[in-house]
Amino acid sequence: MKAAVLLLALLASGAVAKATNASYFANATRPLVLAHRGASGVFPEHTLGGYTSAYFYGADFLELDL
């Protein structure tokens, strides 16, 4: 949970650089949220629970280390 809050705080601070004009990346109402390894503050990294909770917390994309 702490990692998700930290990630949201960093994204909300404007630290995100826009590298594309794709419509699914451009959202004027809130920042783009990427869940690195799932919601690792709630569940262990790279687990179904971590991925599922990231989705339910509202992550737009899930970034995996394979």
Side-chain angles (χ1 to χ4, degrees):
M1 180 75 174
K2 290 179 185 178
V5 172
L6 177 61
L7 177 63
L8 288 173
L10 288 172
L11 291 174
S13 70
V16 177
K18 186 175 179 182
T20 181
N21 290 327
S23 62
Y24 50 87
F25 286 124
N27 188 337
T29 60
R30 67 177 182 83
L32 181 69
V33 178
L34 301 173
H36 180 67
R37 301 177 183 168
S40 58
V42 181
F43 288 94
E45 297 175 345
H46 299 298
T47 62
L48 185 57
Y51 299 154
T52 304
S53 65
Y55 170 80
F56 284 110
Y57 278 124
D60 296 307
F61 292 93
L62 192 60
E63 193 273 318
L64 311 175
D65 292 333
L66 299 178

